Amino acid sequence: MSSHLRAWAAGVLFVLAVLAVASALVGAVGHYTVLDRPVLLGTLATSLIIVSGALVLRGGLRGPAIALGMIWMTMGLVTYVNNRQVYAQIPGPTGSGLEVRALYDGWIIPDWALVVRKNDGLLTREWPLVERFSSEHADGLPMVTWVDTSHVRLDDGPDDDRALWRGQVVVLDPETGRPLDPDHPVSAF
């Protein structure tokens, strides 16, 4: 491969790496579920930079191939360990595209979260509704009731005498599902 072609290919790979990082930032800041993948997009960006460096430095491909294998195995392990499962889905009013999801991560310390999700294809967004809290079972989760597209009510379960939620009503932006009032995410304790 000519040095001009190597430099051009390295430049393209570097630009793709920058785009991967920018996509991860847009996903995180805008709460876009398709792009909010910092581990995956960061791994992709790192891989592209390694290959770009190998092209520029004209080194062999054995070292970068080993590095890429180690990086992708680590990314796979991290993704497996940090995989939150959908425990429950509470659909919003018909036609709104909104739903509340209870997410669960049972790795080491059981971890729960409630999010409001606006299903919109590639532009699907998730907003934290209740900050994450640890509990072995789902007994700490509130009962969720949709009042309308702008309001979600959080109630204590029938057997829960702790009065954590007390019928709290959360105001949402009906277009995006983003919680507006009170300050969010709501604390469970």
Side-chain angles (χ1 to χ4, degrees):
M1 183 182 285
S2 72
S3 63
H4 177 66
L5 187 56
R6 278 182 190 267
W8 182 83
V12 168
L13 292 175
F14 185 77
V15 168
L16 291 174
V18 170
L19 288 174
V21 170
S23 297
L25 290 172
V26 166
V29 170
H31 297 269
Y32 293 101
T33 58
V34 171
L35 297 176
D36 193 6
R37 307 274 187 253
V39 173
L40 177 62
L41 291 172
T43 302
L44 176 62
T46 302
S47 300
L48 291 169
I49 289 172
I50 288 172
V51 173
S52 175
L55 286 173
V56 169
L57 299 175
R58 296 181 188 199
L61 292 179
R62 183 176 181 197
I66 291 171
L68 290 173
M70 291 172 61
I71 288 169
W72 281 97
M73 283 190 299
T74 302
M75 191 277 303
L77 178 63
V78 167
T79 301
Y80 174 76
V81 167
N82 290 323
N83 190 16
R84 296 189 312 176
Q85 303 295 320
V86 176
Y87 175 77
Q89 295 173 269
I90 301 97
T94 304
S96 67
L98 294 169
E99 68 182 10
V100 172
R101 286 182 167 204
L103 305 176
Y104 176 72
D105 176 7
W107 173 255
I108 301 178
I109 299 173
D111 189 28
W112 293 90
L114 281 181
V115 297
V116 178
R117 182 180 179 102
K118 172 68 173 184
N119 293 313
D120 220 3
L122 291 176
L123 300 177
T124 295
R125 298 170 114 176
E126 278 187 358
W127 305 93
L129 179 62
V130 174
E131 72 182 24
R132 299 172 89 158
F133 59 97
S134 295
S135 173
E136 246 183 84
H137 306 286
D139 61 357
L141 287 172
M143 292 176 45
V144 177
T145 308
W146 284 91
V147 178
D148 56 34
T149 57
S150 300
H151 299 87
V152 172
R153 182 180 169 100
L154 307 175
D155 285 303
D156 299 307
D159 298 330
D160 193 352
D161 58 355
R162 296 175 292 178
L164 297 173
W165 305 105
R166 297 181 199 96
Q168 181 176 10
V169 175
V170 180
V171 179
L172 306 174
D173 176 347
E175 295 299 316
T176 65
R178 182 174 63 88
L180 300 173
D181 184 47
D183 293 332
H184 284 281
V186 174
S187 176
F189 305 99

